[in-house]
Amino acid sequence: MSKKVSIVTNLCIAVVLVGLGVAVFTVNLADVFISVSAPVAGGNRTNNNVSLMFVLEDDATYVNEIASLLIENNVDATFFVGGGWASRNRPTVMKLAEHFELGNHAHNNRALAGKREAEQRAELETTHTLVKAITASVQLTEDEIEPQEGVCMQVFLPPHGAFDRATLRAAERLGYRTVMWSRDATTNVFDSATRDIMAGDFVLLRANLATFTELHRILRFYQNAGLGVTSVSENLI
């Protein structure tokens, strides 16, 4: 009798396992097992470079002056573009794309963490598509426009530094590397951007008057310290 029970039990287990197998292989494995990389909050510590991360939102009132100063000093940087800001400042986006790396800062200047992944992904996609469209043509003269491929951004900075697993997953599925800052220089600009600065640091800045006022002094400090200034992507390598 116990032998029959054992046979029946084994058959039941086999059926359950087969059912589970079917269930497993009908699930999108990418949804279950996708690897999510942690944000990178710093670059190569051996190349003597730091990176300036400028956030472009409504307070980016000195972005053109800052860009001109960087160009004059032959200094690179990464400008993280908010989609709403980009839609209102298309000529500036085009100018920046000619000289600097652009990064994604989502569409609305609001924290993404806690929202559905689909909603977070839409924020990134909207900005990605918008910036690519804006930079797909470069004005040569008043009447002549040369078509270009458009900038395909590769780095993403979450608004307000707020993210969760869904944020990272949405960014990664769109081909983005999520980055954070190692130094917040949005207040006490000079001291925060220079004190104990190390190669590989990512320095967060706003494109406002306070930053513009101190930027030349910051660049001179880096030069005297033997530090170069490069884009975030270049510093990741």
Side-chain angles (χ1 to χ4, degrees):
M1 187 69 177
S2 61
K3 186 175 182 180
K4 289 181 180 179
V5 171
S6 177
I7 292 172
V8 171
T9 301
N10 289 339
L11 284 172
C12 290
I13 292 172
V15 169
V16 170
L17 288 175
V18 170
L20 286 174
V22 171
V24 167
F25 287 107
T26 55
V27 170
N28 184 344
L29 294 182
D31 289 336
V32 179
F33 296 110
I34 185 170
S35 61
V36 179
S37 301
V40 179
N44 193 317
R45 296 293 184 186
T46 63
N47 284 348
N48 289 329
N49 289 319
V50 297
S51 295
L52 303 180
M53 311 168 74
F54 291 95
V55 174
L56 299 184
E57 285 294 349
D58 289 339
D59 66 346
T61 50
Y62 276 76
V63 60
N64 288 300
E65 292 83 354
I66 286 170
S68 295
L69 180 58
L70 294 173
I71 293 168
E72 287 171 12
N73 286 271
N74 196 30
V75 169
D76 207 349
T78 301
F79 288 83
F80 287 90
V81 182
W85 182 90
S87 66
R88 299 186 296 275
N89 295 273
R90 292 170 182 256
T92 302
V93 174
M94 291 174 66
K95 175 184 174 182
L96 292 173
E98 293 175 16
H99 299 279
F100 305 103
E101 178 181 41
L102 301 184
N104 198 324
H105 195 54
H107 188 68
N108 297 301
N109 187 23
R110 60 184 184 184
L112 296 177
K115 300 181 184 300
R116 293 181 299 109
E117 183 179 332
E119 186 177 352
Q120 298 196 44
R121 178 169 178 160
E123 285 252 356
L124 272 72
E125 280 186 311
T126 299
T127 300
H128 184 94
T129 302
L130 176 63
V131 169
K132 191 172 177 64
I134 292 172
T135 57
S137 59
V138 176
Q139 191 84 37
L140 299 180
T141 67
E142 263 186 43
D143 303 314
E144 187 181 0
I145 294 178
E146 179 183 2
Q148 301 287 334
E149 186 177 340
V151 171
C152 188
M153 299 179 293
Q154 297 180 325
V155 287
F156 164 61
L157 177 66
H160 308 288
F163 65 89
D164 56 18
R165 186 174 178 82
T167 315
L168 302 177
R169 191 162 49 229
E172 194 162 296
R173 283 174 166 164
L174 292 170
Y176 279 98
R177 191 69 181 273
T178 302
V179 295
M180 296 288 286
W181 57 88
S182 57
R183 288 177 166 270
D184 184 349
T186 57
T187 58
N188 300 319
V189 178
F190 180 79
D191 286 345
S192 299
T194 59
R195 184 174 296 169
D196 300 323
I197 190 75
M198 296 173 57
D201 273 339
F202 289 171
V203 183
L204 180 69
L205 293 157
R206 296 201 171 277
N208 56 19
L209 176 59
T211 298
F212 176 64
T213 301
E214 297 289 2
L215 185 55
H216 190 272
R217 195 156 66 112
I218 291 169
L219 296 179
R220 189 166 62 245
F221 182 96
Y222 291 161
Q223 184 179 25
N224 292 338
L227 293 170
V229 184
T230 190
S231 69
V232 167
S233 289
E234 285 293 326
N235 212 348
L236 286 173
I237 299 173

